[in-house]
Each structure stands twice: as structure tokens, then as C-alpha cells.
Amino acid sequence: QVQLVESGGGLVQAGGSLRLSCADSGRTFSSLIIGWSRQAPGKEREFVAAIIWNGARTYYADSVKARFTISRDNAKNTMYLQMNSLKPEDTAVYYCAAFTGGDVSHTNSYANWGQGTQVTVSS
């Protein structure tokens, strides 16, 4: 069973960096495609990034490409999202989830969502 828990959010000034973590207490982490999505107040949840089971392929939304880096450490059952050059529009609750099939860039292709971690970027 997949149980994902996000951490690492916080308040940062524009241009700053944060690293989010997504830990899985289940037993199938290394076989999963997992991804990050975010939801800003009053907006729909949107795809941010995803990574396949061995880290050999990654996917990014255009809005974060070249600023965010997704990675994973299967030995630690943990996925990371390194966020650099943060902008106020990156402010959102960030969630990790397991890919279940379909289009990897669609949030409805994911399940087992974590509780989320708040990221706030001040201008």
C-alpha cells in the first residue's frame, strides 16, 4: 500500500529556493511512477513534475521547467522536488501522488495523494 507524506514547505522570498520531500511508508515505492502537483487558492490542481521508477526519465510542466528538479532515492523511499528561482505564482499547496495510468501530465492520472505541504513565495 502506498502512503505518501510531503514535507519541506515554507515561506521564502522570490528568487529563493526550497526542497520538498515525499516519503512513502509503503512497500512498493521503487516500482512507482510518482509525481508532484500543486493547487493555488481558487485554482484547479495542476501537474508540476513526475519521475519514473528508476529516475531515468522525468516530466515537467512548462511553467517550472529549468527551475525545478525532481529526483528520487529508492533506498530511502523518498522523492524530492528542488525548487529554485521561486516566483510568487509558485505559491500553492504541493502534493505528491502515485501515477495510475494515462497521461502523466494529468492530475487525474494519479492516486494516493498525500496531505500536501504549503509553499508561499513573497514578492
Side-chain angles (χ1 to χ4, degrees):
Q1 184 178 358
V2 178
Q3 295 177 313
L4 301 173
V5 179
E6 304 92 339
S7 62
L11 173 64
V12 64
Q13 289 188 335
S17 299
L18 280 176
R19 188 176 80 156
L20 305 184
S21 298
C22 171
D24 176 24
S25 58
R27 299 181 179 181
T28 60
F29 183 84
S30 62
S31 65
L32 298 175
I33 297 173
I34 46 179
W36 289 97
S37 294
R38 65 187 182 186
Q39 188 165 18
K43 295 186 177 181
E44 293 187 353
R45 192 170 297 188
E46 63 174 359
F47 170 78
V48 173
I51 187 167
I52 70 169
W53 70 275
N54 63 357
R57 185 166 183 177
T58 56
Y59 306 82
Y60 295 96
D62 288 342
S63 59
V64 306
K65 206 170 291 184
R67 298 189 298 123
F68 291 9
T69 302
I70 190 171
S71 61
R72 65 192 295 168
D73 185 341
N74 288 341
K76 296 181 179 179
N77 280 8
T78 303
M79 174 180 68
Y80 305 97
L81 186 68
Q82 178 66 43
M83 305 186 296
N84 298 329
S85 302
L86 283 162
K87 304 175 181 180
E89 51 264 44
D90 294 317
T91 295
V93 178
Y94 284 70
Y95 301 89
C96 60
F99 178 69
T100 57
D103 189 327
V104 73
S105 65
H106 288 177
T107 56
N108 57 13
S109 299
Y110 293 84
N112 299 105
W113 295 90
Q115 85 290 346
T117 186
Q118 175 72 47
V119 172
T120 303
V121 184
S122 63
S123 57

